[in-house]
Amino acid sequence: MAYAILFDSTKCVGCRNCEAACAEKWKNPYNEEIAAEEKLSAHKLTAVQTKGGRFVRRMCMHCNDPACVSACPVGALLSVCMPGSCCAWSAATPSNW
């Protein structure tokens, strides 16, 4: 099964809910100090970086059911099944993507 996580930087507001959800799913620590880190590490599998007034998301991209996607309050993340693969679940593609 091949999945992709699409990220729309024009929608992201930098809330870091995706970081917190990922940490919770994988039972990693998450606090203000870790939230301030803008790079991936062994304890931070999702990181939101600030780039000139916009936000860029770095992620591990290994989840079949990514907690980060459902945690995004503005719909900046979308998980989709790649063409030609047999996915166990599918995500509806919003018309505004």
Side-chain angles (χ1 to χ4, degrees):
M1 293 180 274
Y3 299 95
I5 299 174
L6 304 179
F7 172 69
D8 185 344
S9 65
T10 65
K11 292 181 179 181
C12 181
V13 295
C15 69
R16 301 186 188 277
N17 285 0
C18 56
E19 292 182 353
C22 179
E24 182 179 336
K25 178 176 183 164
W26 295 105
K27 297 178 180 32
N28 289 331
Y30 192 77
N31 55 35
E32 288 183 22
E33 184 179 325
I34 293 171
E37 298 173 9
E38 289 198 345
K39 61 181 180 174
L40 295 178
S41 66
H43 64 268
K44 190 168 185 177
L45 303 177
T46 296
V48 175
Q49 299 174 327
T50 306
K51 300 279 185 183
R54 293 241 175 171
F55 301 99
V56 178
R57 185 166 173 268
R58 301 288 179 233
M59 59 195 121
C60 64
M61 297 177 37
H62 71 267
C63 295
N64 284 338
D65 186 15
C68 57
V69 173
S70 59
C72 183
V74 295
L77 299 168
L78 178 67
S79 183
V80 296
C81 182
M82 297 298 291
S85 64
C86 179
C87 297
W89 60 274
S90 63
T93 303
S95 60
N96 60 344
W97 271 80

